Amino acid sequence: MILNLIINAVEAMSGLAEGSRELLISTGKDASGGVLVTVQDSGPGLSSEACERAFDAFYTTKPGGMGMGLSICRSIIEQHGGRIWASRKAGPGATIQFTLPVEGTVHQSAAA
């Protein structure tokens, strides 16, 4: 799943003619004590519509895309009790963030 987010970011930045390309992946705690993962790129960014629909099945902004990658990511995250969303940055680039509960993952593993 993280690999899909990285590939999306790299593909978005590959269309840039010049300037630096930056990919930042960070982790931290969310407000409930779970894990927060952030993937930021310096690509062209997302339109308002793309932010709202990015996780819809078959929605894509790529010429040859199928529109399934982020939809599958959302399904995986939600099945593990998390949440995923896209946001626009003030400058160039896009940000995708997701959260996963720590305790829920531990309890699910212990119950298996």
Side-chain angles (χ1 to χ4, degrees), residues 1-3 5 25-30 34-39 55 73-74 76-78 80 82-86 95-101:
M1 197 198 72
I2 292 176
L3 182 59
L5 298 177
I25 302 166
S26 60
T27 61
K29 284 187 178 182
D30 72 355
V35 176
L36 170 66
V37 178
T38 302
V39 178
F55 302 97
C73 287
R74 180 180 64 187
I76 293 168
I77 291 291
E78 289 178 351
H80 288 87
R83 183 171 88 84
I84 188 168
W85 66 96
T95 301
I96 304 288
Q97 293 180 287
F98 67 88
T99 59
L100 286 170

Side-chain angles (χ1 to χ4, degrees), residues 4-83:
N4 183 70
L5 298 177
I6 292 169
I7 290 170
N8 284 350
V10 169
E11 288 176 351
M13 293 184 294
S14 70
L16 298 177
E18 56 186 56
S20 66
R21 292 168 176 87
E22 295 181 13
L23 174 62
L24 175 64
I25 302 166
S26 60
T27 61
K29 284 187 178 182
D30 72 355
S32 65
V35 176
L36 170 66
V37 178
T38 302
V39 178
Q40 287 182 301
D41 67 55
S42 61
L46 297 169
S47 67
S48 295
E49 179 187 18
C51 273
E52 291 175 22
R53 299 192 56 208
F55 302 97
D56 293 350
F58 305 112
Y59 176 80
T60 184
T61 59
K62 298 178 190 177
M66 288 180 46
M68 293 303 296
L70 290 177
S71 177
I72 292 169
C73 287
R74 180 180 64 187
S75 295
I76 293 168
I77 291 291
E78 289 178 351
Q79 286 177 357
H80 288 87
R83 183 171 88 84

